[in-house]
Amino acid sequence: MPTSLSILRSLSTYLPNHRHPRLLICTTCSLLNKNQPPNPPRISLFHTRSPDLSSVNNFVDQLACEDENLDFDKETKVFTFDASFGTSSVDSKNLNVSPSLDVKELDELPEQWRRSKLAWLCKELPSHNPATVIRILNAQRKWVNQEDMTYLAVHCMRIRENETGFRVYKWMMQQHWFRFDFSLATKLADYMGKERKYLKCRDIFDDIINHGLVPTEYTFHILIVSYLSSSNRGCLDEACAIYNRMIQLGGYSPRLSLHNSLFKALLSKPNDSPKQYVNQAEFIFHQMVTSGFKIHKDIYGGLIWLHSHQDKIDMERIVSLRSEMQLAGFEESKEVLVSVLRACSKDGDIEEAEKTWTKLVSSTDTIPSLAFVYKMEVYARIGEHMRSLEVFRGMQEHSGSASTVAFHKIIEVLCKAHTTELAESLMKEFIGSGKKALMPSFINLMEMYLTLGMHDKLEYYFFQSFEKCRPNRTIYNIYLKSLVHSGSLDKAEEILRQMQSDETVGVDTKSCNTILRGYLDGRENVKAEQIYGLMREKKFQIEPALMEKLEKVLRANEEAVKNPIILKLSKEQREALVGLLLGGLQIESDEQGKNHKLVFKFNEDSGVHKVLKRHIRNQYHKWLDSSKKQDGNEDKSCQFTTISHSYFGFYADQFWPQGQPVIPKLIHRWLSPRVLAYWYMYGGYRTSSGDILLKLRGSEDGVDRIVKTLGKKSLSCKVKRKGRFFWIGLLGSNSTWFWKLVDPYIVGDLKDLLKPENISSDLKEEARTINFDRSDSDYSEDDIT
């Protein structure tokens, strides 16, 4: 058993190359026919090879200051399937359904008292919440056995109380007399999967595998469908992993409907990059072919679409798929031809692009705008930018106007060709069209002028971008580099100060290295040391060539390159920290309880938290953990931590003693307007009616102290408790007075999102369920005043 389990844990998701498919098959798969044996097969030894690709999604937050820097190919990230695709129903009769489960009926038990107690449990448990169910079961430990609990779990499934049945099953597993029951686990997993509760279904699924057994084909199938029914991030990757296990571990052959559903999911995720799923899609295609299924035309089209989005185009594979599609009697759709054009634009295949364009024009009267863009790109690849301009003009004649991505592309092509007059003319035309998202074109123009050394023109378009677009770090960096190259260090310093003062822009490694180069070249040694200190604080990397010059300057002044920085929080940082702690900020301590670190967690789906994350990072940049590489860009995860330091001991003792959140007894002294502002930004919500809710964890006494303190500030509030959290509601005019109190301390870019007069679209589901009646509170009026 240990050997089997260790091998199973080492099993990774395998995505084969389409030219050399390799399947990982269990040596016992011949036992797994359509008639499931009473005893499930056990996991045997496998021959494994290293995976070709790890399909793990890295979910990142896009910087607000770079939202307008769009890639021209981002208009279509979802493949459009035909309405007839995937309409075949699932024939569950042909799947290996759950094995039979033999359970004694209640009247078959010999003892009257046992029958009575089980009958009482069957009636009582479904009506209670999870915590009460566990307490009731714990009280029965002295007399219950596995047979009793199995009957109870099966009874819950019979009356469709599957959640209660799951809790009974998990409680059973913790008892000393528990023996794993494959039939019970399989039936419960199937019920959980049918209800689309994929986490609970996966929990039982893993239990089966951890006991060295192979789940049934139907359990695999229903778990995959359950994952696919969820829109949560990561569920698609889990569905792919289970699908691969179904084939490699179980030796099963999935049904056509499952192949189609998974394939469609791979191509229908607008928030995910299609690049990472090409190997998985090829694996599904291979399984469909080897299983003898009839391939739908959208499977061919989807594969071509996926291959056309890769950075390195496999034209041989695309040609092969087109040939197979033709042999199957399918006509190439408009979307397939556009995908081929996309591939040609990346590969520079002008001959194939011309053929595809001719076929596209003859097959439809409405040519997609992206087809023009890809044709422009093909000509640009071979250096014929004037022919790209002809295509652009042809698009305007055909469609009446050019799309935004077409303007982006033609201006990019002309800028790379250094045709300044044409590029400027197209830019004026773009601005005059009234279309938005001008930033990418401004960037292309400024980079062209920087390369040509035309600094006056670059400066002109820098200020033009301010009139048409919001501030952008890339634009600032190009202008800063131009000023340094032209020797205008005074202007460069002013621009750097503007970048630092604007939280939506900020400085990064590139901007600091640029100004440092200017100071070193201009022999401004004192200023070079100052910018060096800033870069050390922010943990920016210094370019090696600059570091050599800088070390000479520091040695000349008898200063060490690395001086310890004394860390200390300012008054503003201390107040902000108290507000963040009330809003849910966590503190982690070492085993000795001497050093502590702050753990900042942000909701990746919240627009408020995206802005607040950048602000917090700037506020506490000196304290951030340097063990993770910082290059000056925003941290793209939804969490970051500070270094572990004894300085945070006071806050750990007050807010997180014994590793649990509490409300300090002296909290009434610390509720300043800035504290309330950061609490609202980090752990507060604004309802559609304009009320303000503040989320809090702690004791009732602590909440009472906060409510009374707010009352002394003429802020009457209501309190609701939900689970481990309290919700403090500032309703009606109280929300307005609260806003006037905290407004000066709210981050500038968040004021429109958090001001109570407006309607918010950025609410958590949890906040929506907190409904305060105007006279309803968990506290009496005497307690609140």
Side-chain angles (χ1 to χ4, degrees), residues 546-591:
L546 297 179
M547 195 64 201
E548 292 180 7
K549 295 181 180 180
L550 184 62
E551 285 177 343
K552 294 178 181 179
V553 171
L554 295 176
R555 280 198 300 268
N557 293 328
E558 298 180 351
E559 290 193 23
V561 175
K562 294 183 179 180
N563 290 321
I565 300 175
I566 300 175
L567 297 175
K568 187 177 180 180
L569 291 174
S570 65
K571 178 184 177 183
E572 292 76 13
Q573 288 174 319
R574 294 195 299 270
E575 289 190 25
L577 184 55
V578 172
L580 294 170
L581 287 165
L582 289 173
L585 178 68
Q586 298 181 14
I587 298 180
E588 294 182 359
S589 307
D590 58 16
E591 295 181 357

Side-chain angles (χ1 to χ4, degrees), residues 71-139:
D71 179 58
F72 82 95
D73 198 18
K74 286 187 178 178
E75 275 198 359
T76 172
K77 285 295 184 185
V78 178
F79 182 81
T80 304
F81 284 90
D82 190 273
S84 63
F85 180 81
T87 55
S88 59
S89 60
V90 179
D91 187 4
S92 60
K93 296 180 180 179
N94 294 329
L95 296 174
N96 290 333
V97 296
S98 305
S100 60
L101 178 60
D102 295 328
V103 182
K104 286 186 177 181
E105 295 300 326
L106 198 60
D107 54 7
E108 295 177 5
L109 299 178
E111 303 97 336
Q112 173 62 35
W113 63 270
R114 186 179 296 274
R115 294 198 297 270
S116 300
K117 286 192 172 185
L118 277 178
W120 177 79
L121 286 174
C122 290
K123 179 181 178 181
E124 194 71 18
L125 289 186
S127 61
H128 290 289
N129 60 41
T132 305
V133 169
I134 299 303
R135 284 197 296 269
I136 293 174
L137 291 174
N138 287 337

